[in-house]
Amino acid sequence: MKAVYPGSFDPVTYGHLDIIERVSKKVEHLIVAVLNNPSKKSVFSLEERIQLLKEVTKEFPNVEIDYFSGLLTDYATKRNCTTMIRGLRAVSDFEYEMQMALVNKKINNELETLFMVSSSKYAYLSSSIVKEVAMFGGNISVLFLKLLNKL
Ligand code: ADP
């Protein structure tokens, strides 16, 4: 099975990496697809987000890093992929994730979204919390994989 794991990855965290590693053991090929959305302000550029992801996933031979713009369903079709992976941390993720999964399925009925539940040790972790801690000068090395001089 081939799967797409889409997201902003601004920046990639241990939480994302945990999902990538666990899913990569269950599928033949995993495409981690970085959202390129110029109207959604990101701290890291698309190139930086891709570079970080490539670096932290280089040990996983069946993981590919790519990017997409526009509709995720169009990207999945282009990549010949009908399985989408999303991570679930807490109940708070559920409503949005459920809505996205249903909308994507409405657009393309072939498309299935599979949810991987976060490991408990990363359930508190998000890209935004990493950026927030960094903004106030906190030590983010336990949260975030590789420092670029932006944070
Ligand atoms: P998006 O803007 O699409 O939500 P993110 O990069 O924030 O992009 O997240 C991508 C996916 O990874 C989402 O499904 C999100 O729920 C999941 N995710 C993020 N952080 C974690 C974590 N700590 N544990 C498990 N899943 C996570």
Side-chain angles (χ1 to χ4, degrees), residues 64-96:
E64 172 193 345
I65 310 301
D66 195 10
Y67 68 93
F68 71 102
S69 317
L71 276 182
L72 178 57
T73 46
D74 289 342
Y75 174 73
T77 307
K78 190 181 94 185
R79 294 301 312 262
N80 222 356
C81 188
T82 53
T83 308
M84 203 70 77
I85 305 292
R86 294 287 287 177
L88 271 187
R89 281 159 291 193
V91 185
S92 50
D93 278 342
F94 184 76
E95 208 171 324
Y96 174 73

Side-chain angles (χ1 to χ4, degrees), residues 3-6 19 23 27 30 83-87 112-114 116:
V4 176
Y5 176 34
I19 297 287
V23 173
V27 302
L30 178 63
T83 308
M84 203 70 77
I85 305 292
R86 294 287 287 177
E112 299 292 357
T113 302
L114 303 184
M116 175 69 88

Side-chain angles (χ1 to χ4, degrees), residues 3 6 14 20 23 28 30-33 35 38 64 71 74 77 85 106 110 115 117 121 125 136 141 147:
Y14 283 116
I20 293 170
V23 173
E28 278 148 41
L30 178 63
I31 304 165
V32 180
L35 173 67
E64 172 193 345
L71 276 182
D74 289 342
T77 307
I85 305 292
K106 194 89 187 159
E110 299 285 292
F115 293 104
V117 172
K121 60 181 174 178
L125 197 50
F136 293 109
S141 60
L147 299 176

Side-chain angles (χ1 to χ4, degrees), residues 10-27:
D10 183 37
V12 59
T13 69
Y14 283 116
H16 294 126
L17 189 61
D18 175 61
I19 297 287
I20 293 170
E21 184 171 7
R22 287 161 59 211
V23 173
S24 73
K25 291 178 183 154
K26 302 284 174 203
V27 302

Side-chain angles (χ1 to χ4, degrees), residues 32-49:
V32 180
V34 184
L35 173 67
N36 178 28
N37 181 356
S39 62
K40 191 173 172 183
K41 243 178 100 56
S42 60
V43 170
F44 291 87
S45 68
L46 176 68
E47 291 70 27
E48 287 169 331
R49 288 180 280 149

